[in-house]
């Protein structure tokens, strides 16, 4: 029986991890990785075990840099967490955490990827370029190739330096939203997921080019459809009486103050509201028989991408403001405000 | 829009909860309940809020008294947990926990339920009687009715008093396993789930009678089928090379010492073994692409009842001993040993 585990660790700077673990005097280590990097996590665990560390692997989901396995690590008294595949998100972790970025090193046919994007980008000439972490090594090559095809390419810095220039994550597009006024279209090198995220908060056309599948797509139509679905949920929400306000315990998604303000706003609007504390927002366990609707203060992408799984409306805080007539739908769509509430931690 | 929330709280001793919360000086309270009692949890939350407590509701799954929402409670700095519907399981909780048992008080037609069971119990005359927590109020009536039909009825005490006389839970049947040698058949008043659990660890016929559905069933055939499936997993496990040993962080399911011994045993047997730390054993997130098989030190019922969801064999510690030829299948089946490993905490 053979299984798919990389023979080498090209994506991981092993000596850096070892040095960091030694620096924080860790002996017992929990390795955490998103689903697609579990093979790398296993290989890394073997390497670390060989070097004398006592290693365990996190077996739960891992949705982003916000989703640190602090509880698992604490439960087994791990001295440190090695978190693979995401940029540092949680500033202060109760357990020393090494965010270990992984970059795809294998060959990508950048020329072909850009060629496929070109007909979707034209007739625009000024392009905002965003990338996800694993493809950042391609940044200069993609930029250069676009320029060779006659485009001018822009991207910005992150306002607080949390992300690399041009880097986007599921809930944060500020590096390229900042150049919006200077570009006609955006190109995201990454997945459909990241293309949709940006497309929700900009009125510019977003094209996504995925180096893994070599698939290229204009996000305009799908975004309109998603926004219509969101608006339908906002309308349905208005009929709700009993609302569960979701408060997630993941270190980068815990917004207790926000949840409390939302409960107040809902009660002021004449609704019954309760805080629902949970770790995973799992549609199978939400008490749909007692709640008419939810407001989600956890990851905003749960409402956007997974809404079809839920039996009841599950609004974002910004959408709630529309439902309660405290702001307007027209102002919300294609605006920075859509995910803003969920980018702060309190 | 109407939702199904009880108008009163007949199952809950409200004044007891309030007194206990006052005793531990709790102001902020997390209410936790299994899926079927979420309506009661909501109603209780309202009552407690009215009395001045700051109340939140746990929105995650709740599988038993072993599954305390300590992480959720800690994340929101709750002073106490009110845990509905289960008998006390975790002896020492880091956060004051009030286990609030719930009993069904509505009318059950005990005579009819026993009548339906009688033809499955006969020709046996000596019956071991087990019950789940919510039906324990019926114990004397069921016993009396069985006796009226000519049966003699036995049940035992729990060895350490953790459960009520005759009470069974998903992983612990010692109150009635103790009378096995004196009875010909068992009757479980409760669910299919509890009937199957007992039937796995006794060679006596088990009949289950569910007061909620009034359904009555002889568990013999289904148990043989489940045991065959378990044996098939044991055989499949023998071909595995890389094994994940599941270590659950739930307070009543965390068996770190057991997981470590299993890793040693697996390595001694020439397999690669890794500890997988997680909170929910969720088939969607197990790294099936890197593991050939799992050993489950969490809730034993995950292997028994949910095995079809998993793509790879997921053995119990007792089954692993068979797979490694350290004990025999014939000795394991219908024995107390089947779940024993998972009844200890270390």
């Amino acid at each position: 029986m053979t299984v798919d585990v990389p023979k080498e660790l090209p994506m991981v700077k092993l000596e850096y991890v070892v040095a960091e673990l030694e620096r924080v005097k860790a002996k017992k280590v929990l390795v955490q990785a998103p689903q697609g990097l579990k093979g790398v996590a296993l290989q890394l665990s073997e390497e670390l075990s060989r070097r004398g560390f006592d290693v365990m692997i996190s077996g739960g989901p891992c949705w982003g840099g916000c989703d640190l396995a602090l509880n698992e690590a604490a439960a087994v008294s791990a001295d440190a967490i090695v978190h693979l595949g995401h940029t540092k998100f949680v500033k202060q972790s109760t357990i020393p955490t090494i965010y270990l970025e992984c970059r795809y090193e294998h060959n990508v046919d950048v020329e072909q990827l850009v060629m496929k994007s070109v007909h979707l980008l034209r007739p625009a000439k000024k392009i905002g370029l965003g990338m996800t972490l694993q493809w950042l090594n391609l940044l200069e090559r993609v930029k250069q190739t676009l320029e060779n095809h006659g485009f001018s390419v822009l991207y910005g810095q992150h306002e607080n330096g949390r992300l690399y220039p041009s880097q986007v994550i599921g809930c944060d597009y500020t590096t390229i939203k900042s150049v919006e006024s200077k570009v006609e279209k955006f190109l995201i090198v990454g997945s459909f997921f990241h293309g949709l995220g940006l497309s929700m908060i900009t009125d510019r056309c977003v094209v996504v080019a995925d180096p893994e599948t070599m698939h290229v797509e204009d996000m305009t139509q799908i975004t309109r459809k998603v926004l219509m679905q969101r608006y339908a949920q906002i309308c349905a929400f208005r009929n709700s009486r009993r609302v569960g306000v979701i408060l997630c315990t993941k270190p980068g998604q815990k917004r207790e103050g926000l949840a409390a303000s939302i409960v107040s706003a809902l009660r002021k609007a004449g609704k019954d509201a309760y805080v629902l504390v949970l770790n995973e927002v799992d549609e199978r366990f939400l008490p749909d028989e007692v709640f008419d609707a939810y407001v989600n203060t956890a990851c905003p992408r749960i409402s956007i991408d997974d809404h079809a799984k839920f039996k009841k409306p599950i609004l974002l805080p910004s959408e709630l403001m529309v439902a309660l007539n405290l702001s307007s739908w027209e102002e919300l769509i294609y605006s920075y405000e859509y995910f803003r509430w969920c980018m702060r931690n309190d």
Side-chain angles (χ1 to χ4, degrees), chain A:
Chain A
M1 198 176 293
T2 52
V3 289
D4 174 33
V5 172
K7 286 276 173 287
E8 289 167 24
L9 275 170
M11 297 196 285
V12 169
K13 291 177 185 158
L14 185 63
E15 296 316 319
Y16 164 75
V17 183
V18 171
E20 281 295 296
L21 289 173
E22 282 169 354
R23 191 177 64 78
V24 299
K25 298 188 174 50
K27 288 183 179 164
K28 194 165 187 177
V29 179
L30 183 72
V31 175
Q32 185 189 19
Q35 215 60 10
L37 291 174
K38 294 270 172 163
V40 179
L42 189 91
Q43 183 78 354
L44 177 64
S45 300
E46 278 179 357
E47 294 288 351
L48 293 176
S49 296
R50 215 167 285 148
R51 281 163 173 78
F53 295 99
D54 179 8
V55 186
M56 296 186 174
I57 301 173
S58 169
C62 174
W63 301 112
C66 51
D67 189 4
L68 279 191
L70 291 180
N71 289 336
E72 286 87 336
V76 297
S77 309
D79 306 311
I81 297 173
V82 178
H83 180 106
L84 270 75
H86 299 119
T87 312
K88 183 170 179 174
F89 190 94
V90 177
K91 278 181 208 151
Q92 289 193 312
S93 167
T94 49
I95 294 170
T97 300
I98 300 160
Y99 279 95
L100 191 62
E101 302 177 354
C102 299
R103 303 284 163 86
Y104 280 92
E105 300 281 352
H106 61 255
N107 282 335
V108 172
D109 190 339
V110 169
E111 175 64 32
Q112 200 203 336
L113 193 68
V114 169
M115 274 297 287
K116 290 178 85 168
S117 312
V118 158
H119 77 280
L120 294 178
L121 292 171
R122 283 182 180 146
K125 289 194 170 159
K126 294 177 189 162
I127 302 299
L129 177 61
M131 289 205 167
T132 54
L133 183 63
Q134 71 267 47
W135 305 115
L136 278 177
N137 286 355
L138 304 180
L139 182 59
E140 277 312 306
R141 281 170 61 204
V142 173
K143 183 170 182 287
Q144 190 61 57
T145 312
L146 282 166
E147 286 168 354
N148 294 347
H149 282 86
F151 296 97
S152 70
V153 178
L154 285 174
Y155 51 81
Q157 309 280 328
H158 193 263
E159 53 187 354
N160 61 21
R162 195 176 67 158
L163 303 179
Y164 293 98
S166 157
Q167 187 192 353
V168 298
I169 61 175
C171 60
D172 191 342
Y173 299 86
T174 45
T175 57
I176 52 173
K177 181 76 177 167
S178 64
V179 301
E180 185 182 55
S181 63
K182 299 173 196 152
V183 302
E184 296 153 272
K185 290 193 179 185
F186 283 108
L187 176 65
I188 292 284
V189 175
S191 65
F192 177 94
F193 172 83
H194 293 93
L196 177 62
L198 174 62
S199 190
M200 299 271 299
I201 64 161
T202 178
D203 59 4
R204 303 293 193 270
C205 163
V206 175
V207 173
V208 65
D210 188 334
E212 195 158 10
T213 60
M214 295 301 281
H215 181 73
V216 168
E217 188 167 346
D218 181 322
M219 300 303 294
T220 310
Q221 291 307 320
I222 184 73
T223 305
R224 280 188 197 146
K225 191 177 159 194
V226 170
L227 286 170
M228 276 169 58
Q229 289 163 337
R230 299 312 305 150
Y231 191 65
Q233 287 216 347
I234 289 171
C235 296
F237 183 94
R238 288 183 170 136
N239 295 323
S240 66
R241 190 166 65 84
R242 198 178 290 117
V243 180
V245 179
I246 290 169
L247 172 57
C248 178
T249 60
K250 293 183 194 291
Q253 296 185 22
K254 195 175 98 177
R255 299 172 186 105
E256 208 171 346
L258 177 60
S261 333
I262 288 173
V263 166
S264 301
L266 287 166
R267 289 184 181 157
K268 213 168 157 184
K271 296 186 188 290
D272 295 340
Y274 304 82
V275 175
L276 275 180
V277 188
L278 44 71
N279 185 255
E280 276 296 308
V281 182
D282 190 324
E283 68 284 357
R284 300 172 302 176
F285 305 123
L286 287 181
D288 289 328
E289 65 283 11
V290 294
F291 288 108
D292 304 317
Y294 304 99
V295 180
N296 165 28
T297 71
C299 171
R301 302 307 298 262
I302 294 165
S303 292
I304 304 300
D305 301 76
D306 297 343
H307 73 89
K309 290 184 190 167
F310 297 94
K311 294 195 196 85
K312 303 289 173 78
I314 176 164
L315 298 197
L316 293 181
S318 59
E319 295 168 335
L320 173 68
M321 296 301 108
V322 177
L324 299 182
N325 297 314
L326 298 172
S327 66
S328 86
W329 177 240
E330 290 68 25
E331 278 169 43
L332 180 61
I333 56 172
Y334 306 127
S335 88
Y336 178 72
E337 296 300 301
Y338 214 114
F339 301 149
R340 190 179 61 86
W341 301 85
C342 294
M343 284 165 55
R344 75 177 206 198
N345 282 321
D346 58 344

